[in-house]
Amino acid sequence: MSDLGPVAWPPVPIRTARLVLREPGAADRAAFVELLASPEVHTYLGGPRPRAELERELPGTPERWPGSFVVDLDGEMIGQVLLRRTREHCCPVAVGKVDLGYLFLPRAWGLGYAAEACAAALDWLDCVLPGEPVVLNTQTANTGSMRLAAKLGFTEVERFRAWDAEQWLGLRPPLTPSV
């Protein structure tokens, strides 16, 4: 598990204009299986996991740890936002920083949900861990993820090759407190 330090978990659900970010629950299991088995979702993530394996191995309440938010639209899971501290990385600048990750079901793509959910999760992080820099890693071929990173305020730190593809590492510097 990733260590977010002294963060109280689970937080009160985070509400945006259209979404709720909340702790995963047992009712989300089928959506997690769909998300993790989706070839479209895992195009840039090394490929999907076999559905039968997920059905067999996924716990009743999946991904239940600090920093794992279900993205809920009208009572149904459409994605996940992850905030976890990077313990190991091929880029030393990323080690020890909070890493932002996200996965959305294909039916939720192109509607601005990822930007809305990730911005809300980053706002939450800024409140509970002020001054914390955040990194984001994606394949350069993933143009949607690259656009989202820029929209969220990440700037390129480094490019590197891993998993047989060019990777991009972005950094969102800590917010400067208002005086």
Side-chain angles (χ1 to χ4, degrees):
M1 208 301 300
S2 61
D3 178 25
L4 291 181
V7 174
W9 194 264
V12 172
I14 301 165
R15 298 185 185 285
T16 71
R18 304 178 293 170
L19 307 170
V20 177
L21 276 68
R22 59 173 174 75
E23 181 180 35
D28 302 314
R29 188 177 189 280
F32 270 104
V33 169
E34 184 181 350
L35 190 67
L36 298 173
S38 169
E40 296 87 2
V41 171
H42 291 274
T43 298
Y44 302 104
L45 298 171
R49 290 185 55 198
R51 184 173 292 276
E53 176 184 301
L54 290 164
E55 291 286 2
R56 193 175 51 254
E57 296 176 4
L58 207 62
T61 303
E63 301 289 329
R64 197 172 192 168
W65 43 264
S68 174
F69 291 98
V70 159
V71 180
D72 182 308
L73 174 68
D74 299 326
E76 295 204 18
M77 178 181 164
I78 60 165
Q80 178 184 35
V81 173
L82 304 163
L83 294 166
R84 56 197 165 206
R85 192 155 315 271
T86 305
R87 295 286 174 223
E88 295 179 19
H89 200 282
C90 58
C91 298
V93 70
V95 175
K97 293 183 178 58
V98 174
D99 176 74
L100 171 67
Y102 46 88
L103 299 170
F104 283 82
L105 293 167
R107 67 178 173 266
W109 293 359
L111 300 168
Y113 296 135
E116 188 174 329
C118 289
L122 289 168
D123 287 347
W124 172 81
L125 185 71
D126 289 338
C127 290
V128 298
L129 290 175
E132 202 54 57
V134 181
V135 294
L136 182 151
N137 192 89
T138 189
Q139 281 190 23
T140 56
N142 188 344
T143 56
S145 190
M146 295 287 291
R147 281 191 306 273
L148 178 57
K151 185 174 190 173
L152 294 170
F154 287 85
T155 57
E156 184 174 326
V157 173
E158 192 169 337
R159 290 186 186 214
F160 59 98
R161 190 141 184 94
W163 307 289
D164 296 324
E166 184 181 54
Q167 306 291 319
W168 181 89
L169 178 69
L171 174 69
R172 179 181 166 264
L175 295 181
T176 315
S178 305
V179 182

